[in-house]
Amino acid sequence: MKILAIESSCDETAAAVVENGRRIISSVVASQVEEHKLYGGVVPEIASRRHCESIVGVVDEAMLNAGCGYDDIEAIAVTYAPGLIGALLVGVNYAKGLSLATKLPVVPVHHLRSHIASNYLCHQQLEPPFLCLVVSGGHSHIVMVEDYTKMKIIGRTHDDAAGEAFDKAARAMGMPYPGGIHLDKIAQQGDENAFALPRPSVQGAPYDFSFSGLKTAVINLIHNASQKGEQLPVNDLSASFRRAVVDCLTDNVFKAAADLNVKTIAMAGGVSANSLLRSEMQYECDKRGIRLYMPDKCLCGDNAAMVGSQGYYEYISGNTADLSLNAYATMSIEKG
Ligand code: KG4
Ligand code: ZN
């Protein structure tokens, strides 16, 4: 069964054709990042406009690359929440228009659920239940994936998401948007013990995260140094910051894994491309005899193939929408 999938929740316009939730037949991603770089972050109005301009070409290219006509497609999956509302609406309305023209059903897909599903494309043997660390630019969750369409939030951030903290710290160090990937690279050449940074935790919520204090600690160090006319070594500061974020993430995941007696863990979202997070998670899982699954780096960021994967499982569980489908800027992964 082939599904056409569409993603437009942030600054990537993407379309893909995916078979049975597990095989990518085609995947096209048009990134707007170069334009948003000029402003140091995503400008929602610009994102919506670029999605409008790109979506027809991106979907046509995904269909062409897959060698498919609409007769070969069984359903149209689309990201409908959470994300930038104007951006989401472009994908949702395009999917509804296609549905009207082709009579194919629309399958609404939650963005974070689709990030989790990127693992199904890379690991054919992976099946729920498993615990997943979902770390993107907008969210940081520890999720128990009880079944393909049944999720329970075990831990969440109380303020910044991990990706957001990476981007803000990187920006304070003068790196271009999105800073997480640059910070990760520069950190390879730094000493992670050079700066003593906090590992904030949330009292009474052992699996929850709080990154804003850590981010502020870095920004304060930079401001204090610049007031004295000094410049801090960016490689050491990056390495110390990356280590602190990774410690917070891994500590809570393994606390949850031990308490819930979990033997399979997955990672998902843009930050799961972080090289230290990947190596630490692997090291800690090996030590504990836990199986670890991570998406290939090329599927960690936003793409439509993961929407096609989750869309398949939503579709076979009967989750389709009619033309009254709306987009939502916020929505819990549990409701999805
Ligand atoms: O999942 P994603 O592509 O978009 C959202 O759904 O938010 O995540 C984007 C986030 C950005 O904050 C970006 O800086 C971060 O993922 N990111 C990284 C790395 N690659 C992307 N953060 C740390 N290290 C990386 N290598
Ligand atoms: Zn995302």
Side-chain angles (χ1 to χ4, degrees):
M1 180 202 302
K2 295 189 183 78
I3 288 188
L4 168 66
I6 298 172
E7 150 68 32
S8 70
S9 67
C10 190
D11 58 349
E12 261 97 27
T13 318
V17 176
V18 175
E19 190 167 43
N20 297 334
R22 294 282 179 165
R23 190 168 79 88
I24 303 173
I25 302 180
S26 69
S27 177
V28 178
V29 180
S31 176
Q32 308 171 358
V33 72
E34 286 307 317
E35 191 165 1
H36 296 295
K37 222 179 233 176
L38 296 171
Y39 307 96
V42 178
V43 182
E45 174 69 14
I46 293 176
S48 314
R49 284 168 188 260
R50 295 297 165 266
H51 286 309
C52 287
E53 289 164 7
S54 311
I55 196 147
V56 179
V58 166
V59 171
D60 285 354
E61 196 180 330
M63 290 293 285
L64 190 74
N65 291 354
C68 283
Y70 283 97
D71 287 349
D72 305 311
I73 301 289
E74 184 128 354
I76 301 162
V78 64
T79 310
Y80 80 120
L84 299 172
I85 190 67
L88 286 164
L89 278 167
V90 177
V92 166
N93 282 316
Y94 195 72
K96 291 201 289 187
L98 270 181
S99 167
L100 198 61
T102 59
K103 308 277 181 288
L104 292 171
V106 174
V107 181
V109 176
H110 188 285
H111 184 61
L112 296 182
R113 287 188 178 200
S114 69
H115 269 301
I116 294 172
S118 61
N119 285 288
Y120 304 139
L121 297 166
C122 305
H123 309 288
Q124 300 301 312
Q125 70 278 31
L126 176 64
E127 288 178 354
F130 56 88
L131 191 69
C132 190
L133 174 64
V134 187
V135 270
S136 72
H139 297 83
S140 296
H141 284 343
I142 298 172
V143 176
M144 179 54 88
V145 182
E146 293 171 349
D147 206 340
Y148 289 103
T149 59
K150 192 164 177 250
M151 329 252 154
K152 189 162 179 251
I153 298 175
I154 304 295
R156 66 178 82 225
T157 180
H158 283 231
D159 38 60
D160 288 350
E164 195 180 352
F166 268 117
D167 292 344
K168 287 177 178 167
R171 187 176 172 165
M173 291 183 227
M175 296 173 206
Y177 173 84
I181 188 158
H182 297 283
L183 192 150
D184 189 16
K185 273 202 197 106
I186 290 165
Q188 325 274 19
Q189 277 105 49
D191 171 7
E192 63 182 32
N193 298 312
F195 294 93
L197 294 173
R199 268 66 169 161
S201 57
V202 180
Q203 240 188 354
Y207 316 130
D208 285 5
F209 306 108
S210 170
F211 293 112
S212 76
L214 178 53
K215 171 199 69 187
T216 307
V218 165
I219 293 172
N220 286 345
L221 278 173
I222 295 168
H223 286 170
N224 289 343
S226 84
Q227 275 164 4
K228 290 187 215 145
E230 293 167 12
Q231 227 189 340
L232 298 176
V234 166
N235 52 352
D236 290 344
L237 195 54
S238 295
S240 304
F241 180 78
R242 182 177 70 162
R243 167 55 70 180
V245 174
V246 169
D247 282 352
C248 294
L249 293 171
T250 51
D251 280 358
N252 290 11
V253 170
F254 290 107
K255 250 184 262 165
D259 292 349
L260 299 168
N261 195 22
V262 162
K263 288 285 163 229
T264 307
I265 296 181
M267 285 158 62
V271 182
S272 61
N274 186 271
S275 49
L276 182 68
L277 182 61
R278 291 172 84 92
S279 60
E280 280 302 293
M281 285 292 291
Q282 193 64 67
Y283 176 77
E284 295 295 332
C285 281
D286 290 348
K287 226 165 63 181
R288 293 168 169 82
I290 293 175
R291 279 178 305 272
L292 175 69
Y293 295 94
M294 347 184 209
D296 295 348
K297 279 197 177 184
C298 62
L299 286 176
C300 289
D302 292 344
N303 64 83
M306 65 188 192
V307 180
S309 174
Q310 184 62 25
Y312 170 78
Y313 293 104
E314 300 287 351
Y315 182 62
I316 60 175
S317 74
N319 185 4
T320 58
D322 60 23
L323 294 180
S324 68
L325 176 68
N326 206 347
Y328 301 91
T330 57
M331 179 175 292
S332 168
I333 193 171
E334 292 179 353
K335 276 189 160 183

